[in-house]
Amino acid sequence: MKKFRKVLDGLTTSSPGGTMGSPSCGSAAGTPTAAPTPKDIDVQETLVSENFQLCKTVRHGFTYQPTALAFDPVQKILAIGSRSGGVRILGRPGVDCYCQHESGAAVLQLQFLINEGALVTACADDTLHLWNLRQRRPAVLHSLKFNRERITFCHLPFQSKWLYVGTERGNTHIVNIESFILSGYVIMWNKAIELSTKTHPGPVVHLSDSPKDEGKLLIGFEGGTIVQWDLRAKKADFRIYYDEAIHSVSWHHEGKQFMCSHSDGSLTLWNPRNTTKPFQVTFPHGKIQKDGRKESCKPILKVEYKTSRNSEPFVIFSGGLSYDKAGRRPALTIMHGKAITVLEMDYPIVEFMVLCDTPYINEIQEPYAVVVLLEKDLIVVDLTQSNFPVFENPYPMDIHESPVTCTAYFADCPPDIIPILYSIGAKHKKTGYSQKEWPIAGGTWTLGSHTYPEIIITGHADGSIKFWDASAFTLQMLYKLKTSKVFEKPKLGEGRGADLGEEDPFAVQMVSWCPHSRIFCVVGISAHIILYRFSKYDANTQTVSLEVRLQCEPEDIITPSENENNPCFSEPGSHSPQPHHQNPVSPGSRTPDGAKDSTPFLKVKDKMVRVPPGYQSDLVIQLLWVDGEPPQQITSLDINSAYGLLAFGNCNGLAVVDYIQKTVILCISTVDLYGATDPYQRLTRSPRRNRQSTSEHCMRGLSNFYSDSKKRIRTSYQSLTELTDNQQSIDMERSKSPTSDHVNGHCTSPTSQPCSAGKPRIPMGPEGPRLTRRGPGRPPFRKAQSAACMEISLPVSHTEESRENSFSRSRSSSVSSIDRDTKEAITTLQFGESYGRKSDALPTPCLWVGTSLGVVILIPLSIPMDHEERLEDPVTVGPSGAVQMLKGSVLRFAFLDCNGALIQSPYEIWRDQNAPEDPDRPRRRKLVHFSPSSSQDAFGEGHLTVVCSERQAKVFLMPSQSCLFVHNITESSFVLRADVVSLCNSVCLACFCANGHVMTLSLPSLRPLMDVNYLPLTDMRIARTFCFTNEGQALYLSSPTEIQRITYSQEMCDNLQEMLGELFTPIETPEAQNRGFLKGFFGGNAHTFDREELFGEAAAGKASRSLAQHIPGQGGVEGMKVAASGVVGDLARARVALDERGQRLGELEERTTLMMTSAETFSKHAHELMLKCKDKKWYQF
């Protein structure tokens, strides 16, 4: 612990370059412009650098761009490979592990060492990897890089240590799994085929043992050639040349026949004893046309031929549908006897595997399920029931059901919220699933000791909201809310519906949730806000709608002199605090260009509807079109249940809504917020002519003040790649002339709304500029929004993957034009108990406002505290108080008491408004307040305010408003996300920068505690979804379908092994069935085949060193020795000890053999010498 003392004696206001705070990591910025009253702030800070460590914890969701599938039938775990080199290993719920190849090469094939706790991966860079799964974090034991050949197929027989590897050239190599070294035994393609064959057979697409004899290897070539190779005799038993290309081969368990799938949609059945032609050819989906010919079918990409003891065999394949129907969905076909069942899928099939009871290929297979890996889903079909139902998937594979557009993460929630949400959500679950247990049930997982309630909220492009239980590193959906049900469905083909129909008009931009009061607020892409209240009862409700005219009017010609004598534009700061209500405007009014005016994007349902239990809409706020221009998207939001207020802002200004009385109490432009404390010299501009009369303007009051010096400005996605760094100071940028050529500069702040149309204004007639800005009838709403707005960037639609990755890190948060100044966006808002002015003796409700220019404004509020008065008396807004400055857009506010403890915002205790009335206990609001002065006996009145912007953080002492500490977070980049979080019974400031650095700063001294270069900002998805939470956790969307959770807590990193599931469980390998005397006698000598004798170095020699290179892995024997603790770790160590003991025994056996050989040689020589000297006399020697 360290003691920080701020002594301001001797400092003067004339030293703006002095250092205050920790001078590290970019150094501290200058001192405050006015030295505060000398005061000692004595805070015992407990957080040190040793409390922080950054590491990944767990990944949720569906594997993005899957490529391969494997299943261990004994351990019952599933592995999925991806195009980015990731491997996802799944077992029972809670057993979920993600591994990543360092090369990032796509995974082509996966092979489990069945019941051995190991996995072989074949990647697109022609490298084989052996993964050790006997530890909670799998590691690579060995790698083998092929230099001259491309890997196309791998096969590992059960209980074998020799891996067959087929290549693009048609050769088959053999790899020792234990040493990961190539054997000298190679099956060359030119020896496998007949010498008379003139064409190359193509790459190897199949390798498998004969169930009758493991010494016979079946090799399938893409060109249609099939060879059974006798491994002992090193020659081909038979060769099949078929006209159609082969995609897959599957044996009957007796080894008397095998089935092939072909590119023409046919299945052929072959008898190994008669290979001149197939004894059966079928086109499962090929119908006979009128002319007698078969209709053409798509290729059958894979077939599996499985036998059952009590029924007909199963033939399961993917593909093979006819070409006649366009747009047919991908299908999996199950042929069981004469019955053919076609299961249509929502997405293309990547791979499928049939799950069987036995791992032995020469036994009756008894299939019980089939795992189908789709491009965007994982399905398991129950084969034991005739209707083939699917199993209910326990994993969160539907995160991407609609593209995720925003996330929120809440750790240490109230313990009762998760059961309530689950009970409500369980009523809406789908039915019709298989009644059997989920078959992928391997591994072990126990609830760790460091667990607490956690909830993740995801917002989606279709307007849906999902609540997830994220406790203990798991993820389970609790409740789903559809915000689109509040609105009428937009009509396509007419008006704005045609424009919105191309995109998602209900897409969620941001959410705000108070777990204690259960008030939930959603901000949508169509400039709308929905406020929800939670109820355990269904109800008949009618949603109240408020329409807010928060829009700046674009000018035609810049004439600064015309506004000087206009009586309807009062001087800034001259408005008295009073309640402000929104005046209704006729929705039918039209502007000269014929566009609708004063209407919102969406229409709220105006009829009484029956809503189920859960979150029920209470209020909808919509921004209106003005003069044919759409409203700007909402950039900031805060809601406080104790005050009953909701505040939001955008590029144009700020609005505050009383959601208890359903009224707008403040609607004001950003410029007017400053009042007399405006720090800038702003040039006035003329209003647009032919507007509504001056009297109408004046009657609107404070709720309708707009700055006519603002333009309608937007930034397109394409402009993001054109942004350039501009390190000019804010003061210089603000002093630019309003007639500069850069009047329409881009808005590049990651938390502010776009402020430019990207083109310079051309002075024209009244209608000229409007036609220049856009074509008639096409309001530039959707694609003209800024993807640089991190907090509110656009959702990822199905065609938006390329656009969302177009984010340019070459940008500047500095102001780029005078319009940036006048179009100052509200970037963050925070309600709280504070001191509105320096002279205040007691804290009062306040609204802290942060802007894109780094300005902090404090607005005092007057709220009636009595229950009855709060329902009737208006809330009044006082003149703006403190104004502070920071570099870059303001991102976050937080409040600490003078002991350094976090002050929570006041809230209302949840009460169900639909519950039956109790006459003895009238329903009243119960508020919980956290007063800053409650713990200030030792220090007097006051509290600390933490403000973080894109580039720096400051700590202010209230009510004196003096700056105690300041720290420049970054100079070369900018902060994307900042949060004040609780950790180890203390608090810190956590920041994520665009250059990938994750930082933590102590509070209140702003000492750097951690700075890790973790994740470069490669696309907009990360910026949009990254969020911190308490207890040292954070998350972001690592791909369109996956959520990656990380921790920056050393304590959690130390306990991570305990909280993760075990992949490997000690299980006895099932014994092979007794084949019987006759089957064993006539069925071949499969049990006498010794691969070591054929493939070992003694018999086959060494392979060429240039063919493949062995690369030792990081998780070798040493890694296994320190594997996870517990039974598995003990077994792993015992296995290593046995291996080492076996190695020593082998060496001892070799020495014994040498000694025996030497003894035999000595005996032989002695015997020969004895015979030679037998008949000689003594004198003959």
Side-chain angles (χ1 to χ4, degrees):
M1 293 189 293
K2 293 186 178 181
K3 179 181 292 186
F4 294 92
R5 187 172 296 275
K6 182 70 178 179
V7 182
L8 300 175
D9 292 334
L11 297 181
T12 64
T13 59
S14 61
S15 58
T19 299
M20 283 190 169
S22 301
S24 60
C25 190
S27 78
T31 63
T33 56
T37 305
K39 178 179 177 62
D40 291 345
I41 299 297
D42 191 0
V43 177
Q44 300 292 330
E45 294 189 358
T46 59
L47 290 178
V48 293
S49 298
E50 287 72 23
N51 294 121
F52 297 91
Q53 181 183 346
L54 190 69
C55 68
K56 296 180 180 180
T57 54
V58 68
R59 182 174 291 207
H60 302 297
F62 179 75
T63 303
Y64 184 56
Q65 294 179 333
T67 55
L69 185 68
F71 182 72
D72 187 328
V74 179
Q75 288 291 319
K76 296 190 182 302
I77 56 176
L78 186 78
I80 302 173
S82 72
R83 192 178 301 174
S84 60
V87 178
R88 190 82 170 273
I89 305 173
L90 302 170
R92 68 175 67 249
V95 179
D96 189 340
C97 180
Y98 177 79
C99 315
Q100 176 67 46
H101 292 91
E102 292 183 359
S103 64
V107 178
L108 299 180
Q109 196 174 353
L110 300 167
Q111 284 278 323
F112 274 106
L113 276 67
I114 296 177
N115 205 28
E116 293 290 330
L119 176 70
V120 176
T121 59
C123 296
D125 60 351
D126 306 308
T127 305
L128 297 173
H129 303 275
L130 178 65
W131 292 82
N132 174 26
L133 306 184
R134 292 172 177 258
Q135 55 196 56
R136 301 191 186 218
R137 286 295 182 94
V140 174
L141 294 172
H142 301 283
S143 297
L144 188 65
K145 168 73 174 175
F146 281 76
N147 297 322
R148 296 184 297 185
E149 297 200 51
R150 307 296 306 271
I151 299 173
T152 57
F153 195 86
C154 297
H155 170 61
L156 181 65
F158 178 47
Q159 294 182 325
S160 169
K161 67 176 184 179
W162 298 96
L163 174 71
Y164 302 113
V165 181
T167 67
E168 192 176 39
R169 293 186 179 179
N171 303 324
T172 301
H173 300 275
I174 302 170
V175 179
N176 187 313
I177 289 297
E178 294 179 350
S179 62
F180 240 56
I181 296 175
L182 272 179
S183 167
Y185 194 113
V186 184
I187 305 174
M188 305 299 291
W189 68 272
N190 53 359
K191 294 183 179 179
I193 65 174
E194 292 180 344
L195 296 177
S196 59
T197 305
K198 298 180 180 179
T199 58
H200 190 280
V204 175
V205 296
H206 177 80
L207 293 167
S208 64
D209 293 335
S210 169
K212 292 178 62 176
D213 187 353
E214 293 178 347
K216 305 294 179 67
L217 182 67
L218 193 69
I219 307 173
F221 297 92
E222 188 181 59
T225 301
I226 299 174
V227 177
Q228 180 167 289
W229 185 262
D230 189 330
L231 295 169
R232 303 183 192 86
K234 299 182 180 180
K235 65 176 184 178
D237 284 347
F238 63 80
R239 299 178 176 92
I240 296 174
Y241 300 97
Y242 197 65
D243 296 336
E244 294 294 335
I246 293 174
H247 286 280
S248 69
V249 182
S250 183
W251 280 98
H252 187 278
H253 81 276
E254 293 180 348
K256 297 178 180 179
Q257 58 188 25
F258 59 88
M259 183 175 290
C260 301
S261 68
H262 301 278
S263 58
D264 63 346
S266 64
L267 296 173
T268 56
L269 208 55
W270 299 83
N271 187 341
R273 295 185 177 181
N274 182 12
T275 58
T276 56
K277 64 177 182 178
F279 69 86
Q280 182 178 338
V281 180
T282 58
F283 289 82
H285 297 295
K287 300 177 181 178
I288 300 177
Q289 298 176 341
K290 294 181 179 180
D291 55 2
R293 294 184 303 173
K294 291 274 187 180
E295 61 181 349
S296 57
C297 297
K298 299 176 183 178
I300 296 179
L301 302 178
K302 183 178 180 179
V303 64
E304 291 215 28
Y305 188 19
K306 302 297 180 182
T307 54
S308 181
R309 193 181 309 275
N310 300 320
S311 65
E312 296 289 329
F314 284 87
V315 177
I316 304 173
F317 61 89
S318 61
L321 298 176
S322 60
Y323 283 105
D324 59 343
K325 295 182 180 179
R328 289 189 68 172
R329 294 198 294 178
L332 182 79
T333 304
I334 302 176
M335 299 173 62
H336 189 209
K338 295 182 179 181
I340 298 179
T341 304
V342 179
L343 304 178
E344 290 191 337
M345 304 295 171
D346 293 330
Y347 307 103
I349 297 174
V350 175
E351 174 71 287
F352 75 89
M353 289 195 71
V354 178
L355 309 187
C356 302
D357 283 333
T358 175
Y360 297 95
I361 61 172
N362 56 0
E363 295 180 356
I364 297 176
Q365 299 297 288
E366 291 292 348
Y368 60 88
V370 55
V371 180
V372 187
L373 179 63
L374 308 177
E375 279 190 0
K376 294 184 180 181
D377 203 358
L378 180 71
I379 294 174
V380 182
V381 181
D382 187 356
L383 295 179
T384 62
Q385 300 183 41
S386 59
N387 59 339
F388 303 127
V390 298
F391 290 90
E392 185 176 6
N393 197 327
Y395 315 125
M397 294 291 184
D398 57 347
I399 293 176
H400 62 285
E401 184 179 15
S402 175
V404 178
T405 55
C406 73
T407 58
Y409 193 6
F410 300 87
D412 207 7
C413 299
D416 60 335
I417 191 69
I418 290 179
I420 290 177
L421 287 174
Y422 181 80
S423 63
I424 297 295
K427 300 175 182 178
H428 305 285
K429 282 193 173 183
K430 297 179 181 178
T431 58
Y433 294 110
S434 172
Q435 298 301 314
K436 294 194 174 183
E437 292 186 1
W438 180 252
I440 306 168
T444 57
W445 179 79
T446 56
L447 195 65
S449 59
H450 297 75
T451 58
Y452 39 82
E454 299 174 73
I455 287 181
I456 294 174
I457 300 176
T458 56
H460 299 264
D462 63 352
S464 61
I465 303 285
K466 293 181 180 180
F467 290 77
W468 305 85
D469 178 8
S471 308
F473 287 166
T474 61
L475 195 69
Q476 180 182 10
M477 195 172 81
L478 298 172
Y479 175 70
K480 183 177 179 180
L481 174 67
K482 295 182 179 180
T483 63
S484 59
K485 290 186 176 180
V486 178
F487 303 100
E488 301 282 355
K489 188 175 181 180
K491 297 180 180 179
L492 301 180
E494 60 178 33
R496 298 193 181 104
D499 299 313
L500 296 175
E502 301 174 2
E503 304 285 349
D504 301 298
F506 308 112
V508 179
Q509 287 182 245
M510 67 180 77
V511 296
S512 179
W513 184 49
C514 177
H516 301 282
S517 63
R518 302 181 190 174
I519 295 288
F520 186 57
C521 212
V522 180
V523 176
I525 198 75
S526 298
H528 65 269
I529 300 172
I530 311 174
L531 186 142
Y532 289 91
R533 292 180 181 269
F534 187 83
S535 175
K536 294 189 292 184
Y537 304 92
D538 55 0
N540 292 317
T541 61
Q542 183 174 1
T543 305
V544 179
S545 177
L546 280 180
E547 296 179 350
V548 179
R549 187 182 171 95
L550 189 62
Q551 183 79 13
C552 293
E553 300 177 357
E555 77 285 4
D556 288 333
I557 302 174
I558 300 173
T559 53
S561 60
E562 289 189 19
N563 192 34
E564 294 176 358
N565 299 320
N566 195 325
C568 74
F569 290 93
S570 305
E571 289 296 320
S574 63
H575 317 298
S576 59
Q578 57 180 330
H580 311 285
H581 301 272
Q582 182 63 37
N583 295 333
V585 184
S586 172
S589 60
R590 293 179 176 269
T591 53
D593 63 350
K596 285 187 177 181
D597 190 19
S598 299
T599 57
F601 274 109
L602 304 171
K603 183 180 179 182
V604 180
K605 292 180 179 178
D606 55 1
K607 59 183 179 180
M608 190 75 68
V609 293
R610 187 77 175 175
V611 291
Y615 273 104
Q616 301 167 354
S617 59
D618 183 64
L619 176 66
V620 176
I621 305 169
Q622 292 181 283
L623 298 185
L624 300 176
W625 287 60
V626 179
D627 303 322
E629 295 283 354
Q632 288 281 16
Q633 291 180 10
I634 296 167
T635 58
S636 56
L637 171 76
D638 192 40
I639 186 169
N640 189 281
S641 57
Y643 301 160
L645 298 180
L646 181 152
F648 63 93
N650 64 4
C651 255
N652 298 324
L654 168 70
V656 181
V657 174
D658 183 345
Y659 67 79
I660 295 178
Q661 300 183 19
K662 307 294 190 298
T663 58
V664 180
I665 64 171
L666 179 67
C667 183
I668 189 171
S669 68
T670 313
V671 177
D672 294 330
L673 269 176
Y674 291 103
T677 59
D678 192 347
Y680 312 128
Q681 295 180 355
R682 304 177 191 262
L683 297 178
T684 55
R685 296 185 181 181
S686 65
R688 171 171 289 219
R689 296 182 180 88
N690 299 327
R691 297 294 180 209
Q692 296 178 5
S693 66
T694 299
S695 60
E696 289 178 351
H697 274 287
C698 296
M699 288 297 292
R700 292 179 187 174
L702 186 59
S703 63
N704 286 329
F705 269 104
Y706 300 97
S707 171
D708 275 297
S709 61
K710 298 182 181 180
K711 291 185 179 179
R712 182 66 192 157
I713 302 169
R714 301 176 191 83
T715 303
S716 66
Y717 273 99
Q718 290 75 15
S719 68
L720 294 174
T721 59
E722 301 170 2
L723 303 179
T724 57
D725 285 328
N726 185 358
Q727 301 298 332
Q728 300 181 21
S729 67
I730 292 181
D731 293 334
M732 290 185 62
E733 292 289 339
R734 287 172 180 144
S735 64
K736 286 188 178 181
S737 167
T739 58
S740 166
D741 290 338
H742 304 284
V743 73
N744 286 318
H746 297 300
C747 173
T748 59
S749 171
T751 53
S752 62
Q753 185 63 17
C755 300
S756 171
K759 296 181 181 179
R761 175 167 298 281
I762 303 173
M764 300 178 69
E767 302 301 322
R770 182 169 298 163
L771 296 177
T772 303
R773 288 194 296 271
R774 70 175 194 278
R778 293 286 296 179
F781 166 62
R782 197 49 76 123
K783 296 184 180 179
Q785 304 300 337
S786 169
C789 193
M790 303 306 172
E791 299 272 341
I792 57 141
S793 55
L794 284 180
V796 185
S797 65
H798 300 290
T799 60
E800 227 173 44
E801 185 66 26
S802 61
R803 289 193 296 171
E804 74 163 4
N805 290 329
S806 65
F807 176 76
S808 171
R809 290 169 55 195
S810 176
R811 43 82 69 210
S812 169
S813 62
S814 302
V815 183
S816 58
S817 70
I818 190 64
D819 269 6
R820 237 331 265 292
D821 176 42
T822 57
K823 297 291 286 189
E824 188 174 3
I826 307 297
T827 55
T828 185
L829 297 164
Q830 180 71 53
F831 286 105
E833 300 283 319
S834 187
Y835 301 86
R837 290 169 184 80
K838 296 181 181 180
S839 59
D840 289 352
L842 295 174
T844 58
C846 292
L847 175 62
W848 288 76
V849 181
T851 76
S852 58
L853 297 186
V855 180
V856 177
I857 306 169
L858 185 55
I859 301 176
L861 305 169
S862 177
I863 304 175
M865 301 311 296
D866 181 75
H867 177 71
E868 300 297 335
E869 292 179 356
R870 182 64 187 87
L871 297 177
E872 299 177 359
D873 294 352
V875 176
T876 57
V877 179
S880 57
V883 174
Q884 302 292 343
M885 297 289 299
L886 285 86
K887 295 180 181 178
S889 299
V890 181
L891 301 179
R892 191 67 61 208
F893 294 115
F895 309 115
L896 310 176
D897 63 24
C898 289
N899 289 324
L902 185 65
I903 301 175
Q904 300 288 346
S905 297
Y907 62 86
E908 176 189 3
I909 297 176
W910 174 73
R911 55 194 176 94
D912 198 333
Q913 293 188 329
N914 296 331
E917 290 281 357
D918 187 352
D920 298 332
R921 300 179 61 184
R923 190 179 298 165
R924 299 179 64 88
R925 300 177 71 219
K926 296 181 181 179
L927 307 183
V928 177
H929 286 272
F930 300 92
S931 174
S933 60
S934 60
S935 60
Q936 306 301 317
D937 296 336
F939 301 97
E941 303 294 337
H943 71 89
L944 303 176
T945 299
V946 182
V947 186
C948 184
S949 73
E950 288 178 329
R951 296 187 182 274
Q952 68 178 182
K954 288 185 178 182
V955 176
F956 297 97
L957 176 63
M958 303 300 290
S960 66
Q961 302 177 10
S962 56
C963 180
L964 298 184
F965 301 99
V966 59
H967 177 74
N968 285 350
I969 299 174
T970 178
E971 294 292 344
S972 59
S973 184
F974 57 95
V975 178
L976 292 170
R977 182 80 185 203
D979 284 291
V980 174
V981 294
S982 299
L983 179 66
C984 298
N985 298 319
S986 186
V987 291
C988 66
L989 175 63
C991 303
F992 173 58
C993 297
N995 59 6
H997 284 250
V998 177
M999 307 177 186
T1000 57
L1001 304 174
S1002 68
L1003 290 175
S1005 65
L1006 299 177
R1007 284 180 304 114
L1009 297 173
M1010 182 188 72
D1011 186 353
V1012 178
N1013 187 5
Y1014 169 67
L1015 181 74
L1017 181 61
T1018 54
D1019 54 52
M1020 283 299 304
R1021 184 192 315 109
I1022 299 171
R1024 184 178 60 245
T1025 58
F1026 196 102
C1027 54
F1028 294 99
T1029 189
N1030 296 327
E1031 308 300 333
Q1033 295 201 71
L1035 65 80
Y1036 60 93
L1037 214 65
S1038 58
S1039 73
T1041 62
E1042 296 168 291
I1043 290 177
Q1044 178 68 59
R1045 292 166 68 177
I1046 63 174
T1047 181
Y1048 49 93
S1049 165
Q1050 178 67 56
E1051 181 183 5
M1052 183 165 288
C1053 290
D1054 294 340
N1055 297 315
L1056 191 58
Q1057 295 291 336
E1058 174 192 347
M1059 302 175 75
L1060 296 175
E1062 294 271 8
L1063 292 173
F1064 179 78
T1065 308
I1067 299 175
E1068 286 291 333
T1069 302
E1071 295 183 0
Q1073 296 177 0
N1074 188 359
R1075 305 180 67 198
F1077 174 77
L1078 293 177
K1079 282 190 176 182
F1081 187 79
F1082 294 106
N1085 53 349
H1087 294 281
T1088 62
F1089 178 59
D1090 186 3
R1091 294 185 177 89
E1092 182 69 33
E1093 182 181 344
L1094 284 176
F1095 306 146
E1097 186 177 330
K1102 293 184 177 180
S1104 173
R1105 292 186 177 181
S1106 61
L1107 182 61
Q1109 175 187 0
H1110 177 258
I1111 305 171
Q1114 299 295 323
V1117 174
E1118 294 78 8
M1120 293 180 66
K1121 287 180 179 178
V1122 294
S1125 59
V1127 177
V1128 175
D1130 294 339
L1131 285 173
R1133 286 188 287 273
R1135 178 68 179 269
V1136 172
L1138 285 173
D1139 291 343
E1140 293 175 350
R1141 182 171 179 269
Q1143 185 177 357
R1144 289 194 294 269
L1145 286 174
E1147 294 173 355
L1148 180 62
E1149 185 179 358
E1150 290 177 1
R1151 291 197 207 100
T1152 305
T1153 304
L1154 289 174
M1155 291 177 64
M1156 291 179 63
T1157 304
S1158 178
E1160 289 176 359
T1161 304
F1162 177 78
S1163 174
K1164 181 180 178 182
H1165 288 312
H1167 184 69
E1168 291 176 353
L1169 183 61
M1170 183 269 294
L1171 293 177
K1172 183 178 179 181
C1173 301
K1174 178 179 179 183
D1175 298 329
K1176 289 187 179 183
K1177 302 297 182 182
W1178 62 271
Y1179 55 82
Q1180 291 178 325
F1181 286 99

